Amino acid sequence: MLTLSPLSTATPCAAPPDARQLHALSLKTSTFALPSTSSKLISLYTNSTCNNLDYALSVFQRVPESTLFSWNVIIRSLVENHRSHEAISLFCELLHELTPDSFTLPCAIKGCARLGALEEGMQLHGLAAKIGLGCDKFVQSSLVSMYAKCDDIGSARKVFDEMPEKDLVTWNSLIDGYARCGNVDLALEVFEEMPKRDCFSWTTLIDGFSKCGKVSIAREIFDKMPDPNLVSWNAMINGYMKSGDDANAACLFNQMDTRDVITWNSMIAGFNLNGKFHEALGLFSKMLWNGFCPNYATLVSALSALAGLPTLSKGRWIHSYIVKNGFELDGVLGTSLIDMYSKCGSIDSALTVFQLIEKKKLGHWTAMIIGLGMHGLASEALRLFSDLRRAGLKPNSITFVGVLNACSHAGLVDHGRCYFKMMRREYGIEPTIEHFGCLVDLYCRAGRIKEAKNMIDGMSMKPNKVIWMSLLSGSRIQGNISIGEYAAYKLIEIAPDAIAGYILLSNIYAAAGQWEKVSQVRELMKSREIRKDPGHSTIEYQGALHQFIVGDKSHPQTQQIYLRLGEMREKLNEVGHVPDTSQVLLCIEGEKDKEVELETHSERLAIAFGLINSEPGSPIRIMKNLRVCNDCHSVTKLLSKIYSREIIVRDNSRFHHFKDGSCSCNDFW
């Protein structure tokens, strides 16, 4: 008697509850083991409406004898659900029982492509030839795609050329492969040979040329595209941003009728990349206003923008948004939050975030170590590094950059040398230019200029401008004119547009009273049309940023600010402060005029503004685009004690925490 399966009339788009009911019925009627029944059940559980792969696998594993159809459905579903490792393992099991067909092999090859498993993909290519499927158009098409995605464009082209029939997907796979490898000219050749194109063809080409920096060609292709889709618009915006042309990116963005989260993310990340932090944050606010929900990438970009500005209140707001909307901090988002708080001058908040992350990854530890070192808290940074090792984590090269920087800011020469050796000896990490730079900086900060120079001369790699800058800065502090000149001219040789090299050399000469050489440096700058960036200091108040330049009188509170400056001068005189005018511009001759010039430096104006507007006893946080000068450093130490305020200044070198008449940098650098 023929038993009719209860699934014989079931449609493949049955809803999940229906599938489970039919599953139960098959068990009740003892028809579950029938190949026709189990195959239909697997189809039901893996179709797009249900998509319950775990149920499908449960059925598959309990069937005494599975059909090739069932194997194919499961392998395909595993690959589509980004479980390609399981798919390839299952394919290996299949080979012990059945011979794969023209449906099985393309799925397995696609799994290899997603894993970047070139060697396994080549084995499948050999198997296809062995079982007579080497010329199957679906197998060949999947091989072209696999080789292209694994960056073996030569093999992809060879399979492509052997195909008698090429569909649109195959043409696109080859174009994509050439674009991935940077061979955009060959991609264009293939594009022009195509009998038919779709949006993917155009977009791949646009994206390829954009990523190679050939944005003008990408734009020409974009303008010729019959009906540009959202992906092509986004690719073009990305191309402009990566080439530094944020104006054209913004122009395209404003022309778009439809945008998605990727569009907003491309713009926000692009502004960050080009140092336009205000614009990035403005666009983030506009994105929220337009009803778009940010994802992890958006929030990471917004936090990165905040790290470039002294906007702690906005950082706290985004932190609240993250908590309120249930975003996990276990990944890059937690690292970005720690980094933001560290760079906005609130190291305590950074530590709080770090401690709240339950599953700490290496990135979280590294960000916290870097933050502590940046703030001059070397002992805390090194203690955390020891905790990291005890937790069984393996530090990477970036972790050691943070550790060496912490040693550098605290002048811990012996510790720094010890960690430098540990990096190579215990973890097999070869020092990079950044590690050598940290060690040179460490020697220089400790006043061991000759040792720093000897180390540079003995380096196995060519020193970069950061290393020469460290030696030049150290020479300025130690008043070593000969090594300072040597470092300056080496720096100018490899980076003739590096303004800091000329300024520091000029300062060395000024401190030594060699004003004729100061004039020579300034004439050299003038002849090369190199201008010093005007110094400015920024302070946040009630969510708005207030920026000051030297002698600034444009602020609405100018009268109050200058009255407070006068009060500050009197209090400084009372405690015996003597202004250091040794490096004031040569063109200012009178000693009194030099003192007046020092009194109106941008950071002092910002401090006066902070004293007027912030709550008594609250920290004053300032960001300066240049280094704090000797006199302002001494003055800020005294002001922190006079007004019982913690003053945190982030200049272009490091953080300075002024409290009770001392600074976290121990001595001015």
Side-chain angles (χ1 to χ4, degrees):
M1 180 179 175
L2 181 66
T3 305
L4 183 65
S5 167
L7 295 174
S8 59
T9 58
T11 60
C13 57
D18 295 334
R20 288 196 292 271
Q21 287 171 3
L22 292 168
H23 187 175
L25 181 61
S26 71
L27 292 170
K28 188 177 180 180
T29 56
S30 301
T31 56
F32 173 78
L34 292 173
S36 58
T37 304
S38 58
S39 296
K40 286 182 183 293
L41 263 177
I42 291 168
S43 292
L44 282 170
Y45 282 132
T46 56
N47 73 62
S48 58
T49 305
C50 182
N51 195 27
N52 196 324
L53 184 52
D54 289 331
Y55 265 93
L57 280 166
S58 178
V59 171
F60 180 79
Q61 288 160 359
R62 285 168 173 76
V63 174
E65 190 176 338
S66 297
T67 63
L68 183 58
F69 172 81
S70 296
W71 285 90
N72 288 347
V73 169
I74 289 291
I75 291 170
R76 183 200 68 211
S77 298
L78 285 167
V79 172
E80 287 176 353
N81 283 274
H82 305 284
R83 293 165 67 172
S84 296
H85 274 292
E86 294 175 65
I88 302 304
S89 297
L90 203 63
F91 177 82
C92 292
E93 290 180 30
L94 161 69
L95 295 177
H96 295 293
E97 299 187 26
L98 298 165
T99 301
D101 62 10
S102 58
F103 293 100
T104 328
L105 274 170
C107 290
I109 293 167
K110 185 177 180 180
C112 291
R114 290 200 169 177
L115 295 170
L118 177 60
E119 190 176 335
E120 289 77 4
M122 292 172 74
Q123 290 174 358
L124 290 177
H125 189 174
L127 176 64
K130 186 177 179 181
I131 61 176
L133 292 173
C135 294
D136 181 88
K137 67 177 183 178
F138 297 111
V139 172
Q140 287 181 317
S141 180
S142 62
L143 284 169
V144 171
S145 178
M146 183 274 296
Y147 281 125
K149 287 176 180 174
C150 292
D151 296 331
D152 186 354
I153 195 63
S155 297
R157 185 63 196 245
K158 188 177 178 182
V159 175
F160 179 85
D161 290 339
E162 290 172 355
M163 292 179 69
E165 273 185 75
K166 304 174 183 78
D167 60 12
L168 184 58
V169 173
T170 310
W171 283 94
N172 283 342
S173 294
L174 190 63
I175 290 174
D176 185 49
Y178 278 127
R180 280 170 180 270
C181 297
N183 296 326
V184 287
D185 295 326
L186 286 174
L188 183 58
E189 282 182 22
V190 174
F191 178 82
E192 288 172 346
E193 292 172 13
M194 290 178 74
K196 186 181 177 183
R197 301 162 185 155
D198 64 2
C199 282
F200 184 86
S201 321
W202 289 91
T203 304
T204 302
L205 208 57
I206 292 164
D207 191 48
F209 276 102
S210 294
K211 285 178 178 174
C212 286
K214 299 180 179 180
V215 189
S216 56
I217 298 174
R219 183 59 189 263
E220 286 176 22
I221 297 166
F222 177 80
D223 290 337
K224 290 176 185 175
M225 189 172 175
D227 187 19
N229 62 354
L230 192 54
V231 180
S232 61
W233 282 86
N234 290 344
M236 200 64 243
I237 285 171
N238 259 324
Y240 275 130
M241 282 299 193
K242 286 176 181 175
S243 70
D245 189 353
D246 54 85
N248 264 317
C251 186
L252 272 182
F253 178 80
N254 292 330
Q255 291 172 24
M256 295 177 73
D257 295 324
T258 306
R259 302 179 184 120
D260 62 4
V261 174
I262 295 171
T263 317
W264 291 93
N265 287 354
S266 298
M267 287 295 296
I268 295 167
F271 277 131
N272 264 344
L273 184 67
N274 292 293
K276 302 285 184 72
F277 305 123
H278 286 287
E279 290 82 349
L281 287 176
L283 207 61
F284 175 71
S285 298
K286 189 177 178 182
M287 175 186 179
L288 295 175
W289 182 259
N290 279 269
F292 284 87
C293 292
N295 58 17
Y296 280 91
T298 324
L299 293 166
V300 166
S301 291
L303 290 170
S304 297
L306 286 163
L309 297 167
T311 50
L312 185 59
S313 63
K314 285 189 174 67
R316 293 197 193 285
W317 183 87
I318 291 180
H319 188 183
S320 298
Y321 181 93
I322 288 167
V323 172
K324 185 179 177 182
N325 289 277
F327 286 94
E328 295 291 333
L329 298 179
D330 292 351
V332 180
L333 191 58
T335 304
S336 299
L337 200 55
I338 293 167
D339 183 60
M340 181 276 294
Y341 275 128
S342 297
K343 288 180 178 174
C344 284
S346 182
I347 195 67
D348 290 338
S349 297
L351 277 165
T352 300
V353 171
F354 175 77
Q355 288 159 359
L356 287 172
I357 297 171
E358 292 182 12
K359 297 177 182 176
K360 295 180 181 67
K361 296 184 174 66
L362 181 61
H364 302 124
W365 290 88
T366 299
M368 198 64 251
I369 289 167
I370 291 171
L372 288 166
M374 192 190 303
H375 284 263
L377 301 169
S379 57
E380 290 85 344
L382 299 182
R383 194 180 305 120
L384 199 66
F385 179 70
S386 297
D387 292 343
L388 178 155
R389 297 178 73 202
R390 277 195 293 272
L393 291 171
K394 184 181 178 182
N396 61 19
S397 62
I398 302 171
T399 315
F400 275 103
V401 168
V403 169
L404 292 171
N405 264 328
C407 293
S408 177
H409 287 310
L412 302 173
V413 177
D414 293 336
H415 284 76
R417 276 194 269 197
C418 178
Y419 287 118
F420 191 83
K421 290 176 184 175
M422 177 196 291
M423 177 177 68
R424 178 183 274 163
R425 187 178 61 245
E426 294 188 27
Y427 296 100
I429 299 170
E430 285 301 313
T432 64
I433 196 75
E434 287 79 13
H435 299 110
F436 281 111
C438 291
L439 212 54
V440 169
D441 193 56
L442 173 57
Y443 282 128
C444 289
R445 288 180 187 270
R448 295 156 76 160
I449 304 301
K450 289 182 181 177
E451 287 181 67
K453 181 183 178 296
N454 291 338
M455 184 177 183
I456 294 170
D457 292 340
M459 279 172 56
S460 57
M461 57 192 76
K462 189 176 179 181
N464 62 7
K465 68 178 186 179
V466 175
I467 286 177
W468 291 122
M469 268 294 297
S470 292
L471 186 61
L472 179 54
S473 298
S475 301
R476 178 181 71 85
I477 298 302
Q478 299 301 316
N480 193 317
I481 298 174
S482 60
I483 293 181
E485 286 179 326
Y486 172 76
Y489 288 114
K490 286 287 187 181
L491 174 62
I492 290 168
E493 183 183 321
I494 63 170
D497 296 329
I499 299 167
Y502 301 93
I503 300 301
L504 284 173
L505 182 60
S506 175
N507 288 345
I508 289 173
Y509 289 141
Q514 298 183 12
W515 296 106
E516 187 179 336
K517 288 191 174 182
V518 171
S519 296
Q520 289 173 5
V521 173
R522 293 185 184 279
E523 283 300 317
L524 180 61
M525 290 176 67
K526 189 176 179 181
S527 67
R528 295 185 176 183
E529 297 184 347
I530 296 169
R531 291 183 176 84
K532 179 184 175 183
D533 291 333
H536 60 77
S537 295
T538 309
I539 183 169
E540 183 189 20
Y541 175 61
Q542 293 186 342
L545 295 178
H546 298 259
Q547 194 172 94
F548 299 91
I549 59 172
V550 62
D552 203 334
K553 292 187 177 180
S554 62
H555 196 275
Q557 290 181 284
T558 290
Q559 189 175 356
Q560 295 167 268
I561 289 169
Y562 275 81
L563 282 171
R564 184 55 63 97
L565 281 177
E567 177 192 289
M568 287 159 56
R569 180 176 61 250
E570 290 175 11
K571 289 181 180 291
L572 288 166
N573 288 336
E574 287 172 10
V575 296
H577 171 67
V578 178
D580 177 4
T581 60
S582 62
Q583 293 176 20
V584 177
L585 293 174
L586 178 61
C587 58
I588 301 174
E589 295 181 0
E591 200 65 25
K592 281 291 178 187
D593 292 334
K594 289 181 178 181
E595 289 179 17
V596 169
E597 198 268 350
L598 285 171
E599 286 175 8
T600 58
H601 274 193
S602 63
E603 54 265 59
R604 299 203 203 179
L605 294 168
I607 290 170
F609 175 85
L611 289 170
I612 292 165
N613 294 287
S614 61
E615 291 292 325
S618 63
I620 295 172
R621 292 182 173 86
I622 296 165
M623 179 186 283
K624 184 170 182 180
N625 66 324
L626 304 178
R627 290 192 181 208
V628 174
C629 75
N630 302 41
D631 191 63
C632 285
H633 191 271
S634 300
V635 163
T636 310
K637 281 203 290 188
L638 292 171
L639 292 174
S640 70
K641 187 172 185 179
I642 290 166
Y643 289 98
S644 300
R645 289 292 194 101
E646 182 182 5
I647 303 173
I648 303 161
V649 180
R650 173 182 166 189
D651 66 13
N652 70 350
S653 175
R654 58 159 300 157
F655 269 95
H656 301 272
H657 278 248
F658 300 95
K659 191 175 182 181
D660 298 327
S662 64
C663 180
S664 61
C665 68
N666 300 318
D667 195 4
F668 178 63
W669 175 253

